[in-house]
């Protein structure tokens, strides 16, 4: 009896000592400004996670900066029930994405939690995450084209396996629809879709209507809608990239569609301004322009034995301004850009790809000389008509004055038809080239016939 009492007393003392020691690791919340939490007494490095005490349970937050004794934290969820002086506990365990082949067909949030109600996702325990930058000399060169199933892109803006492309457009000109067309038409093994900072209703619509059952079976969707915290939106983009890297390391060819790079920059701007970083270019702090290339350069071709990641980043051009700071910075670090024209979209021309304003920097390396010649000839005919269309429309041009303009007028309806495509229609790469040859052959024959007449 005495022994049991002695043991009980020792257990109570040990428990009291444990609680006392544990309290030494706690920090204390001293200020909340917007979405930023300020705490003192927290010994944690930037990027580590903390539990913040609230009257609705513990809130997970990440350390994003510090100033002397004050540590700045950003919550992963909305702030509810936070109290003055609440305890802040650094946690040593860091959440990792559940990387495995079981991700295929699943929908997750920015930190890897399932949103589709299909249960937990298994993790590949043998895979070692390596976030170090790839040595540029160890990457394989881009030598093969990637079929995206969209005729205008396959023909004029051919994409190579491992290329990073920007999709520049304002709101409402068909970015999401074009992304859906590429998911159905691509020959890539795996598709990773990041829907970050966009409307929440678009997530379900994209999965059910655009991806469909066949597309979803080989896809992973990472969703962090606009109502998520800036930290979750930031992690949504980074998680999509990390998932793509996993599949590339398995030797697969991956197509990454990230909508949008602008929302990623805006999320970083919110966090940076909240912790006191000074604004620079049109309100964007310097850290934004540092993070963009870090995100983009992780993608592309891997080394020997690895696959490739071909990435399409949508970039929102506010007011259709291609000189927007994020658009300008993105264009400089990407391997090409596809511009969607509001004028074409307003005219019912879909996909509204502006072939004059778009370019693929690796097209000469992945296409034949014949293909490049066909694309250049068709683009010249198209551009010539665009330059003279006002004169043609008002009747100021007289037929026969310039054989080249006459040819452009005759071929323009055919080119317009060639550049348009139905949403459900998939045009393979080889068929696109063949149709270009037929247009050029018909245009040349017609010009010779008119010259002899």
């Amino acid at each position: 009896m005495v022994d049991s009492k002695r043991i009980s007393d020792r257990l109570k003392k040990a428990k009291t000592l444990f609680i006392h020691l544990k309290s030494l690791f706690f920090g204390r919340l001293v200020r909340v400004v917007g979405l930023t939490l300020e705490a003192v007494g927290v010994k944690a490095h930037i990027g580590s996670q903390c539990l913040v005490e609230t009257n609705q349970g513990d809130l997970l937050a990440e350390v994003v900066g510090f100033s002397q004794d004050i540590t700045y934290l950003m919550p992963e969820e909305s702030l509810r029930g936070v109290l003055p002086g609440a305890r802040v506990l650094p946690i040593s365990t860091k959440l990792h994405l559940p990387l495995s082949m079981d991700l295929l067909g699943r929908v997750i949030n920015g930190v890897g939690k399932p949103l589709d109600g299909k249960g937990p996702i298994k993790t590949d325990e043998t895979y070692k995450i390596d976030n170090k930058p790839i040595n540029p000399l160890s990457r394989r060169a881009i030598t093969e084209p990637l079929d995206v199933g969209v005729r205008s892109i396959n023909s004029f803006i051919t994409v190579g396996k491992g290329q990073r492309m920007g999709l520049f457009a304002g709101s409402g000109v068909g970015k999401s629809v074009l992304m859906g067309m590429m998911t159905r038409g691509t020959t890539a093994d795996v598709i990773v879709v990041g829907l970050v900072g966009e409307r929440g209703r678009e997530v379900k619509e994209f999965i059910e209507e655009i991806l469909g059952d066949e597309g979803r079976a080989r896809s992973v969707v990472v969703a962090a809608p606009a109502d998520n915290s800036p930290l979750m939106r930031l992690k949504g983009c980074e998680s999509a990239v990390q998932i793509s890297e996993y599949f590339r390391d398995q030797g697969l060819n991956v197509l990454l569609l990230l909508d949008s790079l602008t929302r990623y920059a805006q999320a970083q701007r919110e966090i940076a301004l909240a912790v006191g970083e000074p604004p620079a270019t049109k309100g964007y702090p310097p850290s934004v322009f540092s993070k963009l290339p870090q995100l983009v350069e992780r993608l592309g071709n891997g080394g020997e034995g690895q696959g490739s990641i071909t990435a399409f980043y949508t970039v929102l051009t506010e007011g259709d301004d291609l000189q927007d700071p994020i658009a300008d910075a993105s264009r400089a670090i990407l391997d090409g850009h596809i511009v969607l024209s509001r004028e074409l979209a307003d005219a019912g021309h879909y996909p509204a790809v502006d072939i004059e304003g778009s370019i693929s920097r690796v097209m000469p390396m992945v296409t034949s000389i014949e293909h490049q010649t066909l694309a250049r000839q068709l683009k010249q005919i198209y551009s010539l008509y665009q330059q003279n269309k006002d004169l043609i429309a008002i009747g100021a041009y007289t037929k026969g004055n310039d054989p080249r303009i006459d040819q452009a007028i005759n071929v323009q309806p055919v080119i317009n038809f060639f550049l348009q495509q139905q949403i459900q229609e998939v045009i393979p790469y080889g068929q696109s080239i063949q149709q270009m040859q037929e247009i050029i052959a018909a245009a040349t024959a017609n010009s010779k016939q008119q010259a002899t007449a």
Side-chain angles (χ1 to χ4, degrees), residues 53-77:
E53 181 185 42
T54 73
N55 61 10
Q56 297 185 12
D58 290 335
L59 176 70
L60 196 62
E62 185 174 304
V63 178
V64 294
F66 58 85
S67 175
Q68 296 182 347
D69 295 334
I70 297 177
T71 302
Y72 298 106
L73 302 106
M74 188 70 66
E76 290 189 355
E77 301 173 5

PDB file of all heavy atoms in Angstrom, residues 53-77:
ATOM      1  N   GLU A  53      -2.769  28.393 -29.618  1.00  0.00           N
ATOM      2  CA  GLU A  53      -3.938  28.060 -28.798  1.00  0.00           C
ATOM      3  C   GLU A  53      -5.101  29.008 -29.118  1.00  0.00           C
ATOM      4  O   GLU A  53      -4.931  30.229 -29.158  1.00  0.00           O
ATOM      5  CB  GLU A  53      -3.563  28.173 -27.322  1.00  0.00           C
ATOM      6  CG  GLU A  53      -4.670  27.840 -26.357  1.00  0.00           C
ATOM      7  CD  GLU A  53      -4.257  28.087 -24.924  1.00  0.00           C
ATOM      8  OE1 GLU A  53      -3.605  29.128 -24.667  1.00  0.00           O
ATOM      9  OE2 GLU A  53      -4.571  27.266 -24.067  1.00  0.00           O
ATOM     10  N   THR A  54      -6.284  28.444 -29.366  1.00  0.00           N
ATOM     11  CA  THR A  54      -7.500  29.241 -29.561  1.00  0.00           C
ATOM     12  C   THR A  54      -8.631  28.580 -28.771  1.00  0.00           C
ATOM     13  O   THR A  54      -8.484  27.454 -28.285  1.00  0.00           O
ATOM     14  CB  THR A  54      -7.907  29.307 -31.053  1.00  0.00           C
ATOM     15  OG1 THR A  54      -8.437  28.050 -31.456  1.00  0.00           O
ATOM     16  CG2 THR A  54      -6.725  29.665 -31.941  1.00  0.00           C
ATOM     17  N   ASN A  55      -9.764  29.275 -28.664  1.00  0.00           N
ATOM     18  CA  ASN A  55     -10.897  28.676 -27.943  1.00  0.00           C
ATOM     19  C   ASN A  55     -11.653  27.671 -28.798  1.00  0.00           C
ATOM     20  O   ASN A  55     -12.667  27.121 -28.376  1.00  0.00           O
ATOM     21  CB  ASN A  55     -11.848  29.758 -27.427  1.00  0.00           C
ATOM     22  CG  ASN A  55     -12.452  30.586 -28.555  1.00  0.00           C
ATOM     23  OD1 ASN A  55     -12.316  30.240 -29.734  1.00  0.00           O
ATOM     24  ND2 ASN A  55     -13.104  31.684 -28.201  1.00  0.00           N
ATOM     25  N   GLN A  56     -11.158  27.430 -30.021  1.00  0.00           N
ATOM     26  CA  GLN A  56     -11.753  26.421 -30.903  1.00  0.00           C
ATOM     27  C   GLN A  56     -10.747  25.322 -31.247  1.00  0.00           C
ATOM     28  O   GLN A  56     -10.889  24.624 -32.234  1.00  0.00           O
ATOM     29  CB  GLN A  56     -12.259  27.076 -32.195  1.00  0.00           C
ATOM     30  CG  GLN A  56     -13.372  28.089 -31.964  1.00  0.00           C
ATOM     31  CD  GLN A  56     -13.936  28.630 -33.261  1.00  0.00           C
ATOM     32  OE1 GLN A  56     -13.671  28.105 -34.344  1.00  0.00           O
ATOM     33  NE2 GLN A  56     -14.739  29.682 -33.157  1.00  0.00           N
ATOM     34  N   GLY A  57      -9.731  25.171 -30.407  1.00  0.00           N
ATOM     35  CA  GLY A  57      -8.695  24.175 -30.658  1.00  0.00           C
ATOM     36  C   GLY A  57      -7.421  24.829 -31.153  1.00  0.00           C
ATOM     37  O   GLY A  57      -7.345  26.049 -31.339  1.00  0.00           O
ATOM     38  N   ASP A  58      -6.399  24.010 -31.378  1.00  0.00           N
ATOM     39  CA  ASP A  58      -5.106  24.523 -31.821  1.00  0.00           C
ATOM     40  C   ASP A  58      -5.144  24.899 -33.299  1.00  0.00           C
ATOM     41  O   ASP A  58      -5.738  24.196 -34.122  1.00  0.00           O
ATOM     42  CB  ASP A  58      -4.010  23.479 -31.587  1.00  0.00           C
ATOM     43  CG  ASP A  58      -3.716  23.290 -30.106  1.00  0.00           C
ATOM     44  OD1 ASP A  58      -3.973  24.230 -29.336  1.00  0.00           O
ATOM     45  OD2 ASP A  58      -3.245  22.207 -29.726  1.00  0.00           O
ATOM     46  N   LEU A  59      -4.503  26.027 -33.617  1.00  0.00           N
ATOM     47  CA  LEU A  59      -4.428  26.528 -34.989  1.00  0.00           C
ATOM     48  C   LEU A  59      -3.008  26.355 -35.494  1.00  0.00           C
ATOM     49  O   LEU A  59      -2.045  26.744 -34.823  1.00  0.00           O
ATOM     50  CB  LEU A  59      -4.828  28.007 -35.018  1.00  0.00           C
ATOM     51  CG  LEU A  59      -4.712  28.748 -36.360  1.00  0.00           C
ATOM     52  CD1 LEU A  59      -5.767  28.246 -37.331  1.00  0.00           C
ATOM     53  CD2 LEU A  59      -4.847  30.257 -36.151  1.00  0.00           C
ATOM     54  N   LEU A  60      -2.857  25.768 -36.698  1.00  0.00           N
ATOM     55  CA  LEU A  60      -1.540  25.553 -37.272  1.00  0.00           C
ATOM     56  C   LEU A  60      -1.092  26.812 -38.007  1.00  0.00           C
ATOM     57  O   LEU A  60      -1.836  27.374 -38.814  1.00  0.00           O
ATOM     58  CB  LEU A  60      -1.582  24.373 -38.233  1.00  0.00           C
ATOM     59  CG  LEU A  60      -0.239  23.749 -38.640  1.00  0.00           C
ATOM     60  CD1 LEU A  60       0.482  23.177 -37.426  1.00  0.00           C
ATOM     61  CD2 LEU A  60      -0.466  22.648 -39.669  1.00  0.00           C
ATOM     62  N   ALA A  61       0.118  27.262 -37.706  1.00  0.00           N
ATOM     63  CA  ALA A  61       0.671  28.465 -38.340  1.00  0.00           C
ATOM     64  C   ALA A  61       2.136  28.210 -38.686  1.00  0.00           C
ATOM     65  O   ALA A  61       2.780  27.321 -38.133  1.00  0.00           O
ATOM     66  CB  ALA A  61       0.540  29.675 -37.424  1.00  0.00           C
ATOM     67  N   GLU A  62       2.649  29.006 -39.611  1.00  0.00           N
ATOM     68  CA  GLU A  62       4.034  28.850 -40.059  1.00  0.00           C
ATOM     69  C   GLU A  62       4.819  30.119 -39.773  1.00  0.00           C
ATOM     70  O   GLU A  62       4.304  31.236 -39.932  1.00  0.00           O
ATOM     71  CB  GLU A  62       4.064  28.533 -41.545  1.00  0.00           C
ATOM     72  CG  GLU A  62       5.457  28.240 -42.083  1.00  0.00           C
ATOM     73  CD  GLU A  62       5.447  27.776 -43.525  1.00  0.00           C
ATOM     74  OE1 GLU A  62       4.756  26.780 -43.825  1.00  0.00           O
ATOM     75  OE2 GLU A  62       6.124  28.412 -44.358  1.00  0.00           O
ATOM     76  N   VAL A  63       6.073  29.953 -39.374  1.00  0.00           N
ATOM     77  CA  VAL A  63       6.946  31.092 -39.104  1.00  0.00           C
ATOM     78  C   VAL A  63       7.386  31.686 -40.441  1.00  0.00           C
ATOM     79  O   VAL A  63       7.976  30.997 -41.274  1.00  0.00           O
ATOM     80  CB  VAL A  63       8.165  30.663 -38.281  1.00  0.00           C
ATOM     81  CG1 VAL A  63       9.107  31.857 -38.052  1.00  0.00           C
ATOM     82  CG2 VAL A  63       7.743  30.081 -36.947  1.00  0.00           C
ATOM     83  N   VAL A  64       7.101  32.972 -40.652  1.00  0.00           N
ATOM     84  CA  VAL A  64       7.436  33.619 -41.923  1.00  0.00           C
ATOM     85  C   VAL A  64       8.447  34.747 -41.752  1.00  0.00           C
ATOM     86  O   VAL A  64       8.888  35.334 -42.743  1.00  0.00           O
ATOM     87  CB  VAL A  64       6.167  34.157 -42.615  1.00  0.00           C
ATOM     88  CG1 VAL A  64       5.260  33.020 -43.042  1.00  0.00           C
ATOM     89  CG2 VAL A  64       5.413  35.147 -41.727  1.00  0.00           C
ATOM     90  N   GLY A  65       8.827  35.070 -40.511  1.00  0.00           N
ATOM     91  CA  GLY A  65       9.806  36.126 -40.288  1.00  0.00           C
ATOM     92  C   GLY A  65       9.960  36.418 -38.820  1.00  0.00           C
ATOM     93  O   GLY A  65       9.219  35.899 -37.964  1.00  0.00           O
ATOM     94  N   PHE A  66      10.925  37.260 -38.481  1.00  0.00           N
ATOM     95  CA  PHE A  66      11.102  37.680 -37.085  1.00  0.00           C
ATOM     96  C   PHE A  66      11.801  39.024 -37.055  1.00  0.00           C
ATOM     97  O   PHE A  66      12.472  39.433 -38.013  1.00  0.00           O
ATOM     98  CB  PHE A  66      11.898  36.636 -36.275  1.00  0.00           C
ATOM     99  CG  PHE A  66      13.261  36.326 -36.827  1.00  0.00           C
ATOM    100  CD1 PHE A  66      14.360  37.112 -36.496  1.00  0.00           C
ATOM    101  CD2 PHE A  66      13.445  35.247 -37.666  1.00  0.00           C
ATOM    102  CE1 PHE A  66      15.602  36.833 -37.004  1.00  0.00           C
ATOM    103  CE2 PHE A  66      14.699  34.962 -38.188  1.00  0.00           C
ATOM    104  CZ  PHE A  66      15.783  35.757 -37.855  1.00  0.00           C
ATOM    105  N   SER A  67      11.640  39.721 -35.955  1.00  0.00           N
ATOM    106  CA  SER A  67      12.295  41.006 -35.721  1.00  0.00           C
ATOM    107  C   SER A  67      12.635  41.098 -34.244  1.00  0.00           C
ATOM    108  O   SER A  67      11.725  41.195 -33.400  1.00  0.00           O
ATOM    109  CB  SER A  67      11.377  42.165 -36.130  1.00  0.00           C
ATOM    110  OG  SER A  67      11.961  43.417 -35.804  1.00  0.00           O
ATOM    111  N   GLN A  68      13.933  40.986 -33.925  1.00  0.00           N
ATOM    112  CA  GLN A  68      14.410  40.930 -32.545  1.00  0.00           C
ATOM    113  C   GLN A  68      13.694  39.790 -31.804  1.00  0.00           C
ATOM    114  O   GLN A  68      13.822  38.635 -32.182  1.00  0.00           O
ATOM    115  CB  GLN A  68      14.226  42.293 -31.873  1.00  0.00           C
ATOM    116  CG  GLN A  68      15.071  43.383 -32.512  1.00  0.00           C
ATOM    117  CD  GLN A  68      14.949  44.723 -31.832  1.00  0.00           C
ATOM    118  OE1 GLN A  68      14.050  44.938 -31.000  1.00  0.00           O
ATOM    119  NE2 GLN A  68      15.825  45.642 -32.184  1.00  0.00           N
ATOM    120  N   ASP A  69      12.890  40.093 -30.781  1.00  0.00           N
ATOM    121  CA  ASP A  69      12.242  39.041 -29.997  1.00  0.00           C
ATOM    122  C   ASP A  69      10.886  38.637 -30.553  1.00  0.00           C
ATOM    123  O   ASP A  69      10.258  37.696 -30.045  1.00  0.00           O
ATOM    124  CB  ASP A  69      12.047  39.501 -28.541  1.00  0.00           C
ATOM    125  CG  ASP A  69      13.375  39.706 -27.831  1.00  0.00           C
ATOM    126  OD1 ASP A  69      14.359  39.052 -28.244  1.00  0.00           O
ATOM    127  OD2 ASP A  69      13.442  40.502 -26.878  1.00  0.00           O
ATOM    128  N   ILE A  70      10.413  39.342 -31.577  1.00  0.00           N
ATOM    129  CA  ILE A  70       9.075  39.062 -32.111  1.00  0.00           C
ATOM    130  C   ILE A  70       9.185  38.101 -33.297  1.00  0.00           C
ATOM    131  O   ILE A  70       9.988  38.297 -34.206  1.00  0.00           O
ATOM    132  CB  ILE A  70       8.381  40.364 -32.556  1.00  0.00           C
ATOM    133  CG1 ILE A  70       8.161  41.289 -31.355  1.00  0.00           C
ATOM    134  CG2 ILE A  70       7.039  40.058 -33.220  1.00  0.00           C
ATOM    135  CD1 ILE A  70       7.562  42.621 -31.705  1.00  0.00           C
ATOM    136  N   THR A  71       8.362  37.058 -33.254  1.00  0.00           N
ATOM    137  CA  THR A  71       8.284  36.079 -34.339  1.00  0.00           C
ATOM    138  C   THR A  71       6.963  36.276 -35.069  1.00  0.00           C
ATOM    139  O   THR A  71       5.902  36.353 -34.443  1.00  0.00           O
ATOM    140  CB  THR A  71       8.363  34.648 -33.794  1.00  0.00           C
ATOM    141  OG1 THR A  71       9.589  34.486 -33.073  1.00  0.00           O
ATOM    142  CG2 THR A  71       8.314  33.631 -34.923  1.00  0.00           C
ATOM    143  N   TYR A  72       7.032  36.361 -36.406  1.00  0.00           N
ATOM    144  CA  TYR A  72       5.822  36.554 -37.211  1.00  0.00           C
ATOM    145  C   TYR A  72       5.354  35.200 -37.745  1.00  0.00           C
ATOM    146  O   TYR A  72       6.146  34.427 -38.302  1.00  0.00           O
ATOM    147  CB  TYR A  72       6.106  37.490 -38.382  1.00  0.00           C
ATOM    148  CG  TYR A  72       6.528  38.881 -37.967  1.00  0.00           C
ATOM    149  CD1 TYR A  72       7.859  39.271 -38.087  1.00  0.00           C
ATOM    150  CD2 TYR A  72       5.604  39.776 -37.447  1.00  0.00           C
ATOM    151  CE1 TYR A  72       8.257  40.547 -37.696  1.00  0.00           C
ATOM    152  CE2 TYR A  72       5.996  41.053 -37.068  1.00  0.00           C
ATOM    153  CZ  TYR A  72       7.320  41.431 -37.187  1.00  0.00           C
ATOM    154  OH  TYR A  72       7.710  42.679 -36.809  1.00  0.00           O
ATOM    155  N   LEU A  73       4.074  34.934 -37.561  1.00  0.00           N
ATOM    156  CA  LEU A  73       3.495  33.688 -38.027  1.00  0.00           C
ATOM    157  C   LEU A  73       2.311  33.971 -38.949  1.00  0.00           C
ATOM    158  O   LEU A  73       1.613  34.968 -38.782  1.00  0.00           O
ATOM    159  CB  LEU A  73       3.026  32.815 -36.854  1.00  0.00           C
ATOM    160  CG  LEU A  73       4.080  32.430 -35.813  1.00  0.00           C
ATOM    161  CD1 LEU A  73       3.858  33.238 -34.552  1.00  0.00           C
ATOM    162  CD2 LEU A  73       4.006  30.951 -35.491  1.00  0.00           C
ATOM    163  N   MET A  74       2.093  33.060 -39.903  1.00  0.00           N
ATOM    164  CA  MET A  74       0.962  33.171 -40.816  1.00  0.00           C
ATOM    165  C   MET A  74       0.140  31.896 -40.685  1.00  0.00           C
ATOM    166  O   MET A  74       0.674  30.794 -40.835  1.00  0.00           O
ATOM    167  CB  MET A  74       1.454  33.349 -42.252  1.00  0.00           C
ATOM    168  CG  MET A  74       0.363  33.667 -43.242  1.00  0.00           C
ATOM    169  SD  MET A  74      -0.347  35.319 -43.059  1.00  0.00           S
ATOM    170  CE  MET A  74       1.042  36.369 -43.478  1.00  0.00           C
ATOM    171  N   PRO A  75      -1.166  32.008 -40.375  1.00  0.00           N
ATOM    172  CA  PRO A  75      -1.986  30.805 -40.181  1.00  0.00           C
ATOM    173  C   PRO A  75      -2.292  30.114 -41.505  1.00  0.00           C
ATOM    174  O   PRO A  75      -2.371  30.747 -42.554  1.00  0.00           O
ATOM    175  CB  PRO A  75      -3.272  31.354 -39.540  1.00  0.00           C
ATOM    176  CG  PRO A  75      -3.360  32.754 -40.052  1.00  0.00           C
ATOM    177  CD  PRO A  75      -1.948  33.250 -40.191  1.00  0.00           C
ATOM    178  N   GLU A  76      -2.477  28.793 -41.445  1.00  0.00           N
ATOM    179  CA  GLU A  76      -2.857  28.039 -42.634  1.00  0.00           C
ATOM    180  C   GLU A  76      -4.363  28.092 -42.867  1.00  0.00           C
ATOM    181  O   GLU A  76      -4.821  27.807 -43.964  1.00  0.00           O
ATOM    182  CB  GLU A  76      -2.403  26.580 -42.506  1.00  0.00           C
ATOM    183  CG  GLU A  76      -0.894  26.415 -42.582  1.00  0.00           C
ATOM    184  CD  GLU A  76      -0.463  24.973 -42.673  1.00  0.00           C
ATOM    185  OE1 GLU A  76      -1.341  24.088 -42.583  1.00  0.00           O
ATOM    186  OE2 GLU A  76       0.746  24.723 -42.827  1.00  0.00           O
ATOM    187  N   GLU A  77      -5.120  28.443 -41.827  1.00  0.00           N
ATOM    188  CA  GLU A  77      -6.565  28.545 -41.949  1.00  0.00           C
ATOM    189  C   GLU A  77      -7.001  29.929 -41.492  1.00  0.00           C
ATOM    190  O   GLU A  77      -6.191  30.753 -41.070  1.00  0.00           O
ATOM    191  CB  GLU A  77      -7.252  27.448 -41.124  1.00  0.00           C
ATOM    192  CG  GLU A  77      -6.846  26.036 -41.534  1.00  0.00           C
ATOM    193  CD  GLU A  77      -7.401  24.990 -40.589  1.00  0.00           C
ATOM    194  OE1 GLU A  77      -8.170  25.373 -39.672  1.00  0.00           O
ATOM    195  OE2 GLU A  77      -7.082  23.808 -40.756  1.00  0.00           O
TER     196      GLU A  77
END
